[in-house]
Amino acid sequence: MLMESGLALPLAGLIAGTAMGYVARRYHFCTMSALERRWYAGDDNGLRAWGLAIMVAIVLSQALSLAGLFEPQQSFYLSPSFGWTGAIFGGVAFGFGMALVGTCGFGALVRLGGGSLRGLIVVVILGLSALAAQRGVVAIGRVALVDSQAYDLSALGSPDQSLGSFVSAIAGRDLSFTVAVLVVTLLGSWIFRSSAFRHDPGKIIAGVGIGAVVAFGWAATSWIAARSFDPVQIESASFVVPPGDLILQIIAVTGSLPDYGVGLVLGVVVGAAAAAVQRRDVRWEACDDARELSRHLAGAALMGVGGVFSLGCTIGQGISAASLLSISAPIVLISIAIGARLGLAYILEGSVRYAFFRIERGPGK
């Protein structure tokens, strides 16, 4: 049987990743690009597509929960222990690294599918640094700076860190569904208020597709967990630790079979490659010089460590955790945006001093 063969999790991840990679490459779904276009071109269609992915993921995840097909509290994103230091400082580090590289871990995999060797470098270094932060020497610092400073939200009466549970604890009655409806309504009104976005089918397809795949992850891992004799982590899309797990699977016999995340990482490359071939957009790319290479190495390392500290990336926290209305998601997202702005100021302006004061300097200034 598929359950006994151990192929169910990586196969489900491969299917989900292929869909994500294809959609992202075909319709240019990229968080870093969306932020850059908002700050430098005044175009927020990319951010609205990202918001649409969150909205779709929330709607579908809530539907799965109501149907009894998924228990959100089983996700580590809703642990009552909230590592606020990791969410803030890890998010800033991830964002700064993302700016140095020009994309996040997910984007690097999408680039790799199109032939970018820079993407390969980023994925490898991100994966290794994530492993170091999760279970290596950097983990010592993580325990001291993040784990030991985590705040137990159960002290406030909330069983987990979802916004719905938090509001319900304050109100004294279950308002989880009401909170979800309110968030979806507010998010949807902002997303579709833009006429330009409403007339951009590519961005709409990207947002709906990515959000649906995130919900699929919750459903698939929950379904497999209910039918497996072995413990299965309930998870969805994230691209920090999974690249490291893939590296371990390639270079060492760990005694464990590939999980959903490993299949997801491979799938993104496959899907992106399919889209690149279809559009005749495959081209080998490498770093132009040592300076660009060093920037990619440093950025990937910051994303790996920062992503582990914050328990997620632009996709992991930005969409997967957000789909569960985890209070960590907006904090990490804001921190990533701050880090990205600092990184862009450092690269384009020559100093982080210009991050929040002016976008660019005129000639001779």
Side-chain angles (χ1 to χ4, degrees), residues 301-322:
L302 282 172
M303 285 196 291
V305 174
V308 170
F309 277 36
S310 62
L311 293 181
C313 55
T314 53
I315 301 296
Q317 282 284 357
I319 302 179
S320 295

Side-chain angles (χ1 to χ4, degrees), residues 348-364:
L348 302 179
E349 308 294 329
S351 173
V352 297
R353 292 182 302 163
Y354 301 102
F356 304 105
F357 296 100
R358 51 182 174 178
I359 298 297
E360 60 183 354
R361 293 173 290 174

Side-chain angles (χ1 to χ4, degrees), residues 160-204:
D160 55 60
Q161 58 176 286
S162 72
L163 181 61
S165 296
F166 197 72
V167 172
S168 297
I170 295 175
R173 56 176 181 163
D174 188 6
L175 296 175
S176 299
F177 184 73
T178 303
V179 170
V181 170
L182 180 61
V183 171
V184 168
T185 301
L186 293 175
L187 196 54
S189 64
W190 172 73
I191 293 168
F192 292 105
R193 185 172 58 191
S194 169
S195 175
F197 181 77
R198 293 197 303 269
H199 291 86
D200 190 339
K203 288 292 187 288
I204 293 175

Side-chain angles (χ1 to χ4, degrees), residues 53-364:
I54 295 174
M55 188 187 80
V56 170
I58 292 174
V59 171
L60 295 180
S61 298
Q62 290 295 317
L64 290 170
S65 178
L66 290 173
L69 301 176
F70 164 52
E71 180 55 55
Q73 283 67 33
Q74 293 182 356
S75 167
F76 68 88
Y77 288 122
L78 295 187
S79 166
S81 179
F82 174 44
W84 64 274
T85 53
I88 295 173
F89 299 113
V92 171
F94 186 95
F96 197 94
M98 185 172 70
L100 293 180
V101 170
T103 190
C104 61
F106 174 62
L109 289 167
V110 173
R111 289 182 176 182
L112 175 58
S116 173
L117 298 180
R118 291 177 297 182
L120 176 61
I121 290 171
V122 170
V123 171
V124 170
I125 299 302
L126 185 153
L128 293 175
S129 59
L131 288 176
Q134 184 190 46
R135 62 187 81 169
V137 65
V138 184
I140 300 173
R142 190 202 76 237
V143 171
L145 298 175
V146 179
D147 296 359
S148 64
Q149 303 299 319
Y151 186 80
D152 187 0
L153 294 176
S154 61
L156 300 177
S158 177
D160 55 60
Q161 58 176 286
S162 72
L163 181 61
S165 296
F166 197 72
V167 172
S168 297
I170 295 175
R173 56 176 181 163
D174 188 6
L175 296 175
S176 299
F177 184 73
T178 303
V179 170
V181 170
L182 180 61
V183 171
V184 168
T185 301
L186 293 175
L187 196 54
S189 64
W190 172 73
I191 293 168
F192 292 105
R193 185 172 58 191
S194 169
S195 175
F197 181 77
R198 293 197 303 269
H199 291 86
D200 190 339
K203 288 292 187 288
I204 293 175
I205 292 173
V208 172
I210 298 295
V213 171
V214 167
F216 169 83
W218 299 128
T221 54
S222 295
W223 188 85
I224 293 169
R227 291 159 176 78
S228 174
F229 294 108
D230 299 317
V232 174
Q233 177 172 294
I234 306 302
E235 61 182 317
S236 187
S238 184
F239 298 94
V240 178
V241 174
D245 290 339
L246 174 59
I247 292 173
L248 283 181
Q249 290 288 338
I250 293 173
I251 66 175
V253 178
T254 62
S256 62
L257 293 171
D259 60 8
Y260 181 84
V262 170
L264 190 76
V265 169
L266 289 173
V268 170
V269 178
V270 171
V277 169
Q278 182 185 56
R279 296 177 62 83
R280 298 182 179 178
D281 191 30
V282 178
R283 55 183 181 275
W284 294 108
E285 296 178 339
C287 295
D288 294 331
D289 52 34
R291 182 178 180 181
E292 185 180 19
L293 175 60
S294 63
R295 193 168 67 241
H296 278 68
L297 293 174
L302 282 172
M303 285 196 291
V305 174
V308 170
F309 277 36
S310 62
L311 293 181
C313 55
T314 53
I315 301 296
Q317 282 284 357
I319 302 179
S320 295
S323 72
L324 307 183
L325 299 180
S326 172
I327 63 172
S328 66
I331 296 174
V332 173
L333 286 178
I334 292 172
S335 299
I336 288 176
I338 291 172
R341 188 67 196 94
L342 290 170
L344 286 175
Y346 173 74
I347 296 172
L348 302 179
E349 308 294 329
S351 173
V352 297
R353 292 182 302 163
Y354 301 102
F356 304 105
F357 296 100
R358 51 182 174 178
I359 298 297
E360 60 183 354
R361 293 173 290 174

